[in-house]
Amino acid sequence: VGRSFIDFVHQRDRSTFASQITSGLAVPKIVNGTLEKAQSTCNPNSTMVCRIRRYRALETGFGIKERATIFMPFLLKFSFKSINHDEEKSVYLVIQATPFFSAFKIPKELISNSLPFVLRHTSNGIIEYVDPEAVPYLGYLPQEMVSKDVLQLYHPDDLEYLCQVYETIVKEGVLSRSKPYRIMTQNGDYAKLETEWSSFINPWSRKLEFVIGKHQILEGPTNPDVFHATESEKVYKMPEEQKKKAQMLRHNILRIMNEVLTKPAEAAKQQMSKRCQDLTHFMESLMEEQPKPEDELHLDIQDADHTYYERDSVMLGG
């Protein structure tokens, strides 16, 4: 009590926290000296996920400085509340914090009723949106995943299958359900999931704009604590040849998303092709009808006042 709440928020989440309060919540308007009621009600969309520092208790001796600072992920819900103090109205920011725990208890735990979560990425593979529901399954906070390359999260051995998946998404626009594949969790391990895919195709350019995946986790990672910090020495070192193959497959997926014709583009191409064929047939029929000698057009231009430009126009018109 008496301390600034932002002191307890993780350094990397402070800018997100500040922007959420300034843009996610409108500052209460004071009209004629009174607070507007609409502003003091809770906005259900004003939520964010951030890490809050845990209390470092004096359990053994005075070695607080040696102990690592532990942060825990929370879902924060914001609302404004006006409280009367001695006939003066003060506006308070009320935060309801709900902790997140890893969805897994044991290594490679099979999950039958996991909550689905949505992840959206652009045609360049850059993640634009992640549901907060993904946090207990993947261990990443939404703001950590946004702007990441989704292709780097897919298991290298599953990229070949995912090439086929993306080709279907681009050509058909949707894929009802994929086969199980693996995605990297925050602790460096992989969870197994299956996905329903859909996409948005720009109606003017007929190009793929973004891909939406509704994911459902089937099996947890080897380390069940998805919030555990990745230890660099434990990260799997991929052989150089395998690394090159994975990179080639990632480039292939990007090429599919940006170069393979979408369904509307394919339809437009076929329509254009038909028009071209019709025009070709028309031109051929014209060419086949040879003009008779007496029908040939003779232009006898004797008017010397015409410029070359005008004469050529007449001939061209003829």
Side-chain angles (χ1 to χ4, degrees):
V1 172
R3 295 194 44 193
S4 170
F5 181 76
I6 204 121
D7 287 347
F8 296 91
V9 174
H10 195 288
Q11 197 77 36
R12 292 211 299 267
D13 299 332
R14 286 181 187 180
S15 60
T16 313
F17 178 80
S19 65
Q20 182 70 29
I21 291 168
T22 52
S23 62
L25 290 163
V27 175
K29 285 182 186 172
I30 306 294
V31 181
N32 301 327
T34 59
L35 178 77
E36 277 195 339
K37 273 187 178 176
Q39 296 289 348
S40 60
T41 56
C42 178
N43 176 0
N45 298 324
S46 300
T47 60
M48 71 163 284
V49 181
C50 85
R51 288 158 289 201
I52 298 175
R53 194 175 77 219
R54 290 185 68 174
Y55 175 59
R56 292 187 289 183
L58 277 169
E59 284 171 3
T60 51
F62 295 93
I64 286 183
K65 283 185 180 173
E66 287 97 59
R67 294 187 63 195
T69 307
I70 298 167
F71 286 87
M72 198 170 167
F74 281 84
L75 177 70
L76 305 185
K77 283 188 182 178
F78 302 103
S79 61
F80 279 124
K81 197 172 182 182
S82 63
I83 297 170
N84 289 328
H85 280 298
D86 304 324
E87 295 178 5
E88 272 190 32
K89 263 187 180 174
S90 299
V91 181
Y92 286 85
L93 174 67
V94 179
I95 301 170
Q96 182 188 334
T98 313
F100 277 112
F101 299 100
S102 178
F104 315 107
K105 306 275 186 293
I106 55 169
K108 293 195 173 287
E109 184 178 348
L110 297 174
I111 306 281
S112 56
N113 54 352
S114 66
L115 282 174
F117 59 87
V118 170
L119 193 149
R120 185 178 77 226
H121 68 78
T122 65
S123 59
N124 294 325
I126 303 302
I127 298 170
E128 277 191 334
Y129 170 81
V130 188
D131 268 345
E133 284 81 1
V135 176
Y137 296 106
L138 300 179
Y140 300 102
L141 272 58
Q143 59 265 33
E144 287 181 303
M145 287 192 88
V146 167
S147 300
K148 264 185 188 283
D149 182 357
V150 73
L151 304 181
Q152 297 292 337
L153 298 177
Y154 297 146
H155 194 288
D157 294 347
D158 295 331
L159 289 169
E160 215 156 322
Y161 165 64
L162 288 163
C163 277
Q164 299 166 29
V165 166
Y166 277 96
E167 196 147 354
T168 307
I169 294 165
V170 173
K171 287 180 175 175
E172 300 300 324
V174 292
L175 180 68
S176 55
R177 185 148 286 223
S178 69
K179 288 181 195 168
Y181 65 99
R182 289 158 291 181
I183 194 166
M184 191 189 279
T185 55
Q186 191 275 148
N187 62 16
D189 284 332
Y190 287 89
K192 200 175 275 186
L193 72 165
E194 57 182 18
T195 305
E196 286 177 41
W197 304 89
S198 61
S199 63
F200 174 75
I201 291 158
N202 186 314
W204 288 279
S205 67
R206 301 191 185 97
K207 282 188 174 290
L208 180 81
E209 291 262 319
F210 51 81
V211 174
I212 305 139
K214 187 182 175 187
H215 307 284
Q216 198 131 17
I217 298 288
L218 304 174
E219 185 184 288
T222 310
N223 178 358
D225 182 6
V226 289
F227 299 116
H228 189 266
T230 312
E231 292 168 33
S232 53
E233 63 271 15
K234 286 189 178 178
V235 174
Y236 170 63
K237 298 282 190 292
M238 206 189 296
E240 201 59 40
E241 201 174 312
Q242 199 180 346
K243 207 184 278 183
K244 278 181 185 171
K245 189 188 175 188
Q247 199 52 39
M248 189 188 74
L249 289 166
R250 287 188 194 106
H251 279 307
N252 199 29
I253 292 173
L254 286 176
R255 185 193 60 76
I256 288 165
M257 285 195 281
N258 291 286
E259 291 177 26
V260 171
L261 290 178
T262 59
K263 208 173 184 178
E266 190 64 53
K269 187 188 172 190
Q270 285 172 3
Q271 195 179 356
M272 186 58 76
S273 171
K274 189 181 181 301
R275 282 181 193 167
C276 289
Q277 282 174 358
D278 293 346
L279 186 61
T280 307
H281 292 320
F282 176 67
M283 293 303 285
E284 282 172 353
S285 66
L286 280 180
M287 299 299 280
E288 282 164 9
E289 290 174 19
Q290 292 296 329
K292 293 169 188 171
E294 61 268 21
D295 291 342
E296 281 181 22
L297 180 69
H298 294 283
L299 284 175
D300 190 13
I301 298 165
Q302 291 167 343
D303 192 351
D305 293 341
H306 278 316
T307 62
Y308 284 112
Y309 175 76
E310 286 171 328
R311 192 188 68 196
D312 287 351
S313 297
V314 172
M315 288 176 78
L316 187 64

